[in-house]
């Protein structure tokens, strides 16, 4: 027991490195001064970004929009390039000025100003020494304060002809935007009216991309708080870790699944030049592990020795699942926010209900909300019908209901898949892993649509034995978000080697027919009002041409290298479809996970919400592959992909653990 306690302490310490920095960023744990006042310098490369500029706009994970002139909250316009200046957070030391340093008068309050004082939408004001009612500083004083910030002076010096514009940015706050001669915002400062402090100063792509600034609670509110994130990491590890073999491959797999927490911690502090590169090592490792599991099984490979055992009995896991599900739902209802992804789903669903065009003319604050496939919006229709939609970006109960339903659906499908592959213990283990994994909660608390993609991919594995069903679910997943279409070649060729030539042609034909028919039927609400060309332009073309600093390709301007990465991902998707590979559900899950990870590695815009896309596939591959199984039963298990239920050996059935051992074997 002493050795186990020491090992548990070591694992907890390792997880603490991953979670503590992210948690420290939570609004209730980090002093405001530490969140606002630091200073860093940045490289000179400034990537092109689509963006929002208003400091109080709701966070966006999929996209932001560009401003070519003076910024306004949630406003959209054409994409503009950020000039080559500093490209990282520039938070500054307090800079103050006495309110009496300029001769002042009191100006009357206009109706526009009154509205601005009661909201957080920046409203432009002229440069004047007059002090507005309810303010201590004049706009001229505010501009003088911002002009003293060293980093902002450097940016202005690099852009001749630039000038400063002042805005009311909500009660007690001012915004100073520095505009280049070409009309592009190149820097921004937020000034507190009462103290005269410069609370925030931004340059480079962080002027445009608010989600790169590290605002606390921007995604999922307190989901990355220490008291949430770190216990979830520990709960995720405890049942599956190899406690007697700390250096086992299984423990390395678990750490790789949690390793993106380190990247997220830097992201939460606005340190993009650290967070972006740190996201790639765990993805590359999981890609390699998935490819290793997908390799063909050798019929002469000897049976494994001792069964892999869970550290927690199945009844305890079941209780843990019930507790975690209740906790996730309660946290979503009481402490979560809806990002633009969920808002887009609700808007699209309301348009379908109203019989209006699904694509085009989205609201100003969500101009590119029509970038997803029609299935995404159709999935929100029942929740909009039941919970309503006010037409505004408010609490959006329909988005909350959809996120909870998608999460429960993913867990239910994981249980069915695990039960089919290895019996009820694996089903419970997969559900528990999903419920305890912090990144699935991160997606749920952001009320995004990414869990729906995961659920549809798990459903595809569940019906993998039937080509037509595979094609139908592949179409639904691809028409939710585009990336799953990369799995079509792999799914079309699943288990073809076991069929005669005529059977192979029939299987591929059924898959393709179901894929095409499902795509057409699912697109009827969109095709009723929009042309194929318009849908293609607003989805595929927009996604292909978007630029973002949230990948090494966009952050460093490696566009040629990204093209090579895309070619490698396409080659992998086609190659895995043609070469011989493991032909059971576990092998299919591993191959699909490898393709999805490769696609994500080649993305210009990557975000942590995308981890749940491949997580259930990696989970099925890793946990299912570790399930102890003698060579004589491999053929029986491979038949599970054809719909046959394999012989259960998880709870003391022939060849399983003895009666005296209550720990379920994997």
């Amino acid at each position: 027991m002493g050795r186990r306690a020491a090992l548990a302490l070591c694992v907890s310490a390792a997880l603490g490195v991953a979670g503590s920095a992210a948690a420290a960023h939570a609004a209730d744990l980090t002093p405001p001064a530490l969140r606002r006042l630091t200073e860093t310098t940045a490289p000179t490369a400034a990537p092109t970004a689509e963006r929002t500029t208003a400091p109080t706009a709701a966070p966006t994970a999929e996209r932001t929009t560009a401003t070519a002139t003076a910024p306004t909250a949630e406003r959209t316009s054409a994409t503009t390039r950020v000039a080559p200046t500093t490209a990282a957070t520039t938070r500054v030391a307090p800079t103050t000025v006495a309110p009496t340093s300029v001769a002042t008068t009191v100006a009357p309050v206009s109706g526009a100003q009154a509205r601005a004082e009661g909201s957080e939408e920046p409203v432009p004001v002229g440069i004047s020494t007059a002090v507005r009612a309810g303010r201590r500083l004049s706009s001229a004083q505010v501009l003088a304060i911002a002009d003293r910030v060293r980093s902002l002076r450097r940016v202005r010096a690099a852009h001749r002809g630039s000038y400063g514009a002042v805005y009311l940015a909500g009660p007690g706050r001012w915004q100073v935007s520095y505009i280049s001669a070409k009309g592009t915002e190149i820097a921004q400062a937020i000034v507190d009216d009462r103290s005269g402090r410069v609370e925030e100063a931004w340059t480079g792509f962080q002027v445009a991309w608010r989600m790169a600034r590290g605002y606390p609670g921007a995604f999922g509110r307190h989901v990355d708080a220490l008291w949430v994130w770190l216990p979830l990491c520990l709960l995720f590890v405890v049942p599956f870790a190899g406690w007697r073999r700390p250096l086992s491959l299984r423990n390395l797999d678990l750490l790789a699944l949690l390793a993106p927490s380190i990247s997220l911690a830097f992201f939460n502090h606005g340190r993009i030049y650290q967070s972006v590169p740190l996201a790639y090592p765990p993805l590359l490792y999981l890609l390699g592990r998935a490819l290793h599991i997908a390799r063909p099984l050798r019929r002469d490979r000897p049976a494994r020795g001792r069964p892999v055992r869970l550290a927690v009995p199945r009844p305890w896991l079941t209780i843990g699942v019930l507790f975690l599900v209740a906790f996730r739902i309660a946290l979503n209802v009481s402490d979560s926010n809806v990002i633009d992804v969920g808002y887009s789903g609700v808007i699209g669903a309301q348009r379908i209900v109203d019989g209006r065009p699904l694509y085009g003319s989205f609201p100003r604050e969500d101009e590119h909300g029509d970038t997803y496939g029609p299935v995404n919006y159709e999935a929100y229709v029942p929740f909009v019908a039941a919970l309503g939609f006010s037409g505004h970006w408010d609490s959006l109960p329909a988005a909350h209901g959809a996120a909870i339903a998608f999460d429960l659906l993913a867990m239910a499908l994981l249980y069915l898949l695990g039960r089919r592959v290895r019996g009820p213990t694996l089903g419970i283990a997969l559900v528990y892993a999903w419920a305890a994994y912090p990144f699935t909660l991160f997606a749920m608390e952001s009320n995004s649509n990414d869990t729906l993609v995961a659920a549809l991919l798990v459903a595809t594995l569940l019906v993998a034995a039937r080509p037509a069903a595979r094609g139908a679910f592949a179409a639904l997943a691809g028409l939710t978000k585009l990336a799953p279409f990369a799995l079509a070649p792999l799914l079309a060729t699943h288990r073809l080697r076991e069929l005669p030539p005529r059977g192979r042609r029939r299987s591929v034909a059924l898959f393709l027919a179901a894929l095409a028919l499902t795509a057409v039927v699912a697109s009827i609400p969109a095709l009723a009002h929009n042309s194929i060309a318009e849908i293609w332009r607003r989805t595929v073309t927009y996604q292909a041409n978007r630029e973002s600093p949230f990948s090494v390709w966009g952050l460093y301007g490696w566009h040629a290298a990204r093209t090579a990465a895309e070619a490698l991902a396409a080659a992998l998707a086609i190659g895995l479809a043609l070469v011989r590979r493991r032909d059971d559900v576990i092998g299919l899950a591993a191959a699909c996970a490898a393709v999805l990870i490769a696609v994500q590695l080649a993305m210009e815009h990557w975000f942590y919400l995308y981890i749940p896309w491949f997580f259930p596939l990696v989970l099925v591959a890793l946990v299912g592959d570790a399930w102890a199984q003698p060579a004589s039963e491999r053929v029986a298990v491979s038949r599970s992909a054809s719909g046959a239920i394999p012989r259960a050996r998880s709870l003391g059935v022939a060849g399983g653990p003895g009666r005296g051992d209550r720990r379920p074997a994997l």
Side-chain angles (χ1 to χ4, degrees), residues 337-579:
N337 60 331
V338 180
I339 63 173
D340 65 333
V341 182
Y343 183 40
S344 301
V346 173
I347 293 173
Q350 187 64 58
R351 286 176 170 240
I352 294 174
V353 172
D354 296 340
R356 299 165 57 197
L358 183 54
Y359 292 91
S361 303
F362 260 51
R364 183 183 64 176
E365 67 270 17
D366 192 33
E367 183 182 16
H368 293 289
D370 55 354
T371 187
Y372 309 114
V375 171
N376 172 72
Y377 307 104
E378 292 160 7
Y380 282 83
V381 168
F383 306 98
V384 169
L387 301 174
F389 174 43
S390 66
H392 304 286
W393 200 335
D394 50 20
S395 60
L396 296 173
H400 287 269
I404 294 172
F406 298 158
D407 194 64
L408 295 176
L409 177 62
M411 286 188 278
L413 292 171
L414 276 172
Y415 174 77
L416 294 176
L417 181 62
R419 182 183 178 89
R420 166 164 293 188
V421 173
R422 293 288 189 267
T425 299
L426 179 59
I428 293 295
L430 295 179
V431 174
Y432 176 89
W434 174 277
Y437 191 53
F439 284 100
T440 61
L441 181 61
F442 185 76
M444 182 181 178
E445 290 301 284
S446 299
N447 292 283
S448 70
N449 56 12
D450 300 280
T451 304
L452 176 60
V453 178
L456 291 172
L457 292 176
V458 174
T460 305
L461 293 181
L462 191 61
V463 300
R466 301 172 179 84
R470 279 202 315 271
F473 278 103
L476 294 177
L479 289 177
T480 300
K481 289 196 169 180
L482 303 177
F485 274 129
L487 303 178
L490 189 63
L491 295 171
T493 58
H494 179 54
R495 298 181 66 86
L496 285 186
R497 294 181 180 274
E498 299 180 358
L499 301 174
R502 179 177 297 180
R504 296 177 187 178
R505 291 192 295 270
R506 180 176 180 275
S507 177
V508 174
L510 284 174
F511 174 86
L512 295 177
L515 180 75
L517 180 61
T518 303
V520 170
V521 173
S523 301
I524 289 177
L527 294 173
H529 302 280
N530 301 106
S531 66
I532 295 178
E534 182 179 12
I535 296 173
W536 183 273
R537 177 172 57 85
R538 292 188 171 273
T539 56
V540 178
T541 302
Y542 172 77
Q543 293 288 355
N545 295 331
R546 68 186 308 187
E547 296 184 352
S548 165
F550 298 105
S551 67
V552 292
W553 326 116
L555 186 64
Y556 302 111
W558 296 347
H559 301 297
R562 184 205 170 198
T563 301
E566 290 176 329
L568 290 174
L572 179 65
I574 297 174
L576 282 178
L578 299 178
V579 302

Side-chain angles (χ1 to χ4, degrees), residues 75-94:
R75 140 182 173 180
T76 60
S77 63
T79 303
T80 57
R81 289 189 176 274
V82 180
T85 60
T86 56
T89 308
T90 307
R91 303 194 183 196
V92 298

Side-chain angles (χ1 to χ4, degrees), residues 97 106 125 146 167 176 215 234 239 260 299 329 374 449 537 582 620:
V97 65
V106 177
V125 296
Y167 302 82
V176 178
Y215 288 128
L234 190 60
R299 297 296 180 181
I329 295 176
N449 56 12
R537 177 172 57 85
R582 183 169 176 171
V620 170

Side-chain angles (χ1 to χ4, degrees), residues 552-605:
V552 292
W553 326 116
L555 186 64
Y556 302 111
W558 296 347
H559 301 297
R562 184 205 170 198
T563 301
E566 290 176 329
L568 290 174
L572 179 65
I574 297 174
L576 282 178
L578 299 178
V579 302
R580 184 170 176 267
R581 61 183 185 273
R582 183 169 176 171
D583 57 3
D584 60 356
V585 174
I586 295 172
L588 180 61
C592 290
V595 172
L596 273 182
I597 294 173
V599 170
Q600 292 193 19
L601 286 170
M603 285 181 172
E604 176 88 2
H605 180 84

